[in-house]
Every structure is written in C-alpha cells, then in structure tokens.
Amino acid sequence: MNSVRKTSKPIELSFGLAKERYAYCGVDADSALRRLARIPISLHCWQGDDLGGFENTSGELGGGLAVTGNYPGKARTPVELRADLEKALSLIPGKHRLNLHACYAETEGKRVERNELAPEHFIRWIDWAKENQLGMDFNPTFFSHPKAADGFTLSHRDIVIRSFWIEHGIACRKIGAAIGRALGQPCITNVWIPDGYKDTPADRKGPRERLAASLDSIFKTPISPGLNLDSVEPKLFGIGSESYVVGSHEFYLGYAVSRKKLLTLDAGHYHPTESIADKISSVLQFLPEILLHVSRGVRWDSDHVVTLTDELEAIAREIVANDHNDRVHIGLDYFDASINRIAAWVIGTRNMLRALLLALLEPPAIRAAETSGDHTARLALQEEARALPFGAVWDQYCESKGVPAAEAWLREVKSHEKHVLSKRR
C-alpha cells in the first residue's frame, strides 16, 4: 500500500547524527525501527463515517455515543470508506489492521437482522484486507437499534430481547473466526455494551447476573485462538448511564480472569485522573493478553483524536519497557467529524507509533538508575531524554516505509480533499 520513496539527503544526514547521539546513550536506533515495524495498530473504521455503518436504520446513534461536527466529505458507501482507509494507510508507516463493527455489513440492500449476520456479509471487507495485507478485528454492534432503545441489551430483563443480543454475539464470534481463517491470523472480537441507568438504580446485582449469564451463552462454543480471540470491554459511565454501568471495570476484570478472556482497556472509559498505562502491568499479572482502545478524553469519554500526550507516552512505555509487545494488542477508538476524517486517522495513528518509538529509544540508564536506587538520576535522565533527536529517527522511519515524513503528508490529504472528498454531497 505504501510506495517506495527515496530518502531525502537532509533526513538521511539528520538520522545519521541522531543515531550517533542515541548510540552515545546506549540506544541502537536501527534496532528500534526494526522493532517498531513489527507492531501493528488496529485502525477503527468508524472514524471514516462517524460510526454510521450501512444498515440504513433510522434514529440517533444511541448507546451513549455522540459524534460532533459536520466536516464535508464523509464516506457514504463501503467503497468510499475503503478508499479513504487506503488513503490514510498510504500516509502511515508500517503494516496495520482494520477494526470493523458489525453495522458495516454489506447486505446488497436487503434487511438482515443483526442476529442473522454471517461471514458472507463481510466478504468484501475480508477480500480488501487480504489484498492490502491487513489483519482484521471485529465488534458486535450493541447500539443504534430498536432493541437497544431503552439502554439495555445483554442484561435486559426481557428474555426475548436478551436472547436476540446473545444471538448477535454468537453470530459475531463466527464472523470473527471466518475473518481469522481467511487472513491467516487471529481476529479479536471485542464485546462492549451500553447497558446502564441514568439515575440511581434499585438493583445493581440483577443486571450483572444476567450479563454474566448472557456472556457465558455467547462464549459457550469454543473457537480456536488461532482464529478468534474474545475480549470484553468495561466502562465507567456514559451519556444516559451516568449513575450505573452494568459492565464495570470490576465486573469485566473478574469475568476475563475467570473465563480466560482478553480484557479491553479503553483510555476514555475511566475517571479522568486514572491512567490505563498503570493498569497494564497489573492486569497482565493475571491475563495472558489484553486489548487497548486508545483515544483521548478531554472531559468525559469524548474520544478525541489521539495526540502525543504524556498519557499516550506512558501507555506506549508500559508496553515496550516490559516487553509486552506480543501480549498487548493496540487499537484506536475515537471519532471526530469536525476535521478532515482521513487526517484524523493519520494524526492519531502516527502519534501512537511516535509514542512507541519514543519508548523504544529510551536510554537504558534510566531504568539502571532506578534499579540502583538513584531516583535523582532517574528523574534527571527522564527529563534529559526529552531533548534527544527523536524527530530525526521518526522521519527516517516514515521515509524508509514509503510514506511522507514530517508534515508532508498533509499536502496529500488536502489534495485528496480537493479532488475527491469535496465532490461528495
């Protein structure tokens, strides 16, 4: 997907000097770039069309989800969405993955209920991923549906509605397995539900008992981990579920540990003062693997485009410094309709990669100082590392992978907007 670009002389010279500077600090910059190339990021399809999907259902997004902005050029069809993803991927270094929601099924204009979805409704996505050498992940869609209108799905007290959503979850695991089989690598199928109350509930126990039983039904049939990995995702609160969320962190942590499932840690699903970076090493004491949904919460779970913040750097460092690359699956989860949607993909994904590269370039003297008990040196070296020539290494990585370095990618997005996106009405 990325074309070969000739490395410019200034970038080549800058990288040479940066390599020397990092070598002086005990860091092999070339090795860091080779390691970075082996870390895929799962790009979320819903950034491209504001989580609309292709079911053509009426009504609001629902589930406590909201997308703000009306920037022109939104993808309206699967073909347009895939084309936009291709443009974004052409500006992001490395080989990555696609994260797809069930509501993006292609049903040839026919109404197919969610509990009747099958691999055939995603064959074009699978073929596209295969053609572009991408892995794929999958998500049941437990929102934006009449049977989720009252805010409850898998924990619903009505057995008929609950059974419908159980069947949807079962169908999605089969789709995930088909994706994994077709692409030759596991698909992560992630379960998130919006269930909860706006105000103080009288019964907190009942919905959680029903949720546990529903999940057990969904996961009853074993699927080879070589095809599909199951993950469950907690949340602190949402719009319409401010006082009580059935699938809390404690609930899903206990469920994942006891049922041997992956736990999804979403950067926007906790209190603003909590960091998922701190949770990674704790959870991995008891689970073999986890999934991350990286976003940027500003006030609540607002899912802003990922920027290179201290929090993002901390997340990346926890993965790299503890050698968790094979145990932590990294996905993005944000949607911004106030700016160019392709640019939002590129900015967020490149920043996730930048944060990982920063972690890979960390001087070993920092950890050595901590190990020796010299916390003064640890702090001093952490701060001095901020001034190391990281940007030159990043630019070299981009050009070596055939994508524009620095801000040059923005010109391509602006040109694409002028010649392609602006014609969408």
Side-chain angles (χ1 to χ4, degrees), residues 152 155 157 197 199-210 244 246:
F152 285 85
S155 68
R157 60 169 50 91
Y197 283 115
D199 218 328
T200 308
D203 176 18
R204 296 175 182 270
K205 177 184 174 184
R208 286 175 174 149
E209 289 177 334
R210 292 192 290 272
Y244 171 70
V246 182

Side-chain angles (χ1 to χ4, degrees), residues 41-62:
I41 309 299
S42 195
L43 276 72
H44 51 311
C45 70
W46 49 93
Q47 167 55 44
D49 77 330
D50 310 338
L51 197 45
F54 304 118
E55 285 182 324
N56 295 318
T57 55
S58 59
E60 298 179 356
L61 187 56

Side-chain angles (χ1 to χ4, degrees), residues 29 40 44 102 112 117 167 209 214 218 238 265 321:
H44 51 311
V112 177
L117 289 173
E167 291 168 6
E209 289 177 334
S214 294
I218 290 173
L265 298 176

